[in-house]
Amino acid sequence: QVQLVEFGGGLVQAGGSLRLSCKPSGRTFSSSAMGWFRQTSGKEREFVAAINWSGGRTKYADSVKGRFTISRDNAQNTVYLQMNSLKPEDTAVYYCAAKTGTIFSSSYYTQGYEYDYWGQGTQVTVSS
């Protein structure tokens, strides 16, 4: 069974940093475009960041641009989301997602429906 598992969530003070990791099991996603999304209770899931299969192209939501960095290590089959200068409004459950069949493509994806696999999510709480 294919799974994506997120690690690294937790409680941090405003202005602090966290690094989320996403590691799949059951298959490799080194040839897949990947993304991070987040959701708070009662709100729609929103796009945070995306990266193409090679790591050469990235895209960020305006709300996190300049503070968050998405990266990947295909040798380790892991995708990261480095979150700096965290704000209380960044509090959410963060999900990683994978879109298969994108090897050699420069494309990244910002819409949730475009992804094939999702993790269970990890809670990030930023206190003021």
Side-chain angles (χ1 to χ4, degrees), residues 36-40 43-49 61 63-64 89-90 92 94 110:
W36 287 95
F37 292 76
R38 66 188 181 187
Q39 188 170 24
T40 55
K43 290 189 177 182
E44 297 272 326
R45 180 178 56 199
E46 67 170 346
F47 167 74
V48 175
S63 59
V64 307
E89 50 264 44
D90 294 318
Y94 284 71
T110 63

Side-chain angles (χ1 to χ4, degrees), residues 59-108:
K59 178 71 173 178
Y60 298 93
D62 288 343
S63 59
V64 307
K65 200 174 296 182
R67 300 188 298 121
F68 290 12
T69 302
I70 187 171
S71 62
R72 65 190 302 160
D73 183 339
N74 284 344
Q76 298 296 320
N77 204 23
T78 304
V79 175
Y80 304 98
L81 184 68
Q82 178 67 45
M83 306 186 294
N84 298 330
S85 301
L86 282 160
K87 304 175 181 179
E89 50 264 44
D90 294 318
T91 295
V93 177
Y94 284 71
Y95 300 89
C96 75
K99 177 174 175 62
T100 59
T102 61
I103 190 169
F104 303 135
S105 170
S106 61
S107 298
Y108 48 68

